[in-house]
Amino acid sequence: MPPAELDVLHVDNSLLVLHKPSGLLSVPGRGEAKQDCLSARAQSRYPDALIVHRLDMATSGLMLLARGAAAQRSLNAAFAGRMVSKRYLAVVDGLISPPAK
């Protein structure tokens, strides 16, 4: 994915819903080589975009970003209060060996 490319599923005055591909950080890491991330890409197009939650680098999926501090506080409260439901789906390939006896 080129650095400025974003897969935007929804945008309004309060939030963004973006697809984070596997292999991309949610937020910047340590060092110059780990600055490309979903939050930086979002902020290049939507300067008021703020992180509400994260996904691991190897995990792809939908991420919700707030548009501004008030929206971030509201969404953080929703996540903290478990008002947001999450669903994870794993795709696996291969056979699992039985445990050694």
Side-chain angles (χ1 to χ4, degrees), residues 44-65:
S44 71
R45 191 180 309 173
Y46 306 97
D48 60 348
L50 298 169
I51 288 292
V52 176
H53 67 102
R54 295 185 263 185
L55 291 175
D56 291 340
M57 183 175 175
T59 303
S60 65
L62 300 182
M63 284 192 53
L64 190 63
L65 281 76

Side-chain angles (χ1 to χ4, degrees), residues 52 71-84:
V52 176
Q72 186 185 41
R73 281 191 299 276
S74 179
L75 291 169
N76 280 340
F79 273 85
R82 301 199 184 270
M83 292 182 277
V84 175

Side-chain angles (χ1 to χ4, degrees), residues 25-37 39-40 54 57:
L25 292 166
S26 294
V27 296
R30 290 197 175 126
E32 188 62 34
K34 294 186 178 178
Q35 296 307 296
D36 183 29
C37 61
S39 65
R54 295 185 263 185
M57 183 175 175

Side-chain angles (χ1 to χ4, degrees), residues 68-101:
Q72 186 185 41
R73 281 191 299 276
S74 179
L75 291 169
N76 280 340
F79 273 85
R82 301 199 184 270
M83 292 182 277
V84 175
S85 63
K86 302 176 213 173
R87 184 176 64 165
Y88 295 90
L89 177 68
V91 178
V92 295
D93 182 29
L95 300 173
I96 299 173
S97 299
K101 293 185 180 188

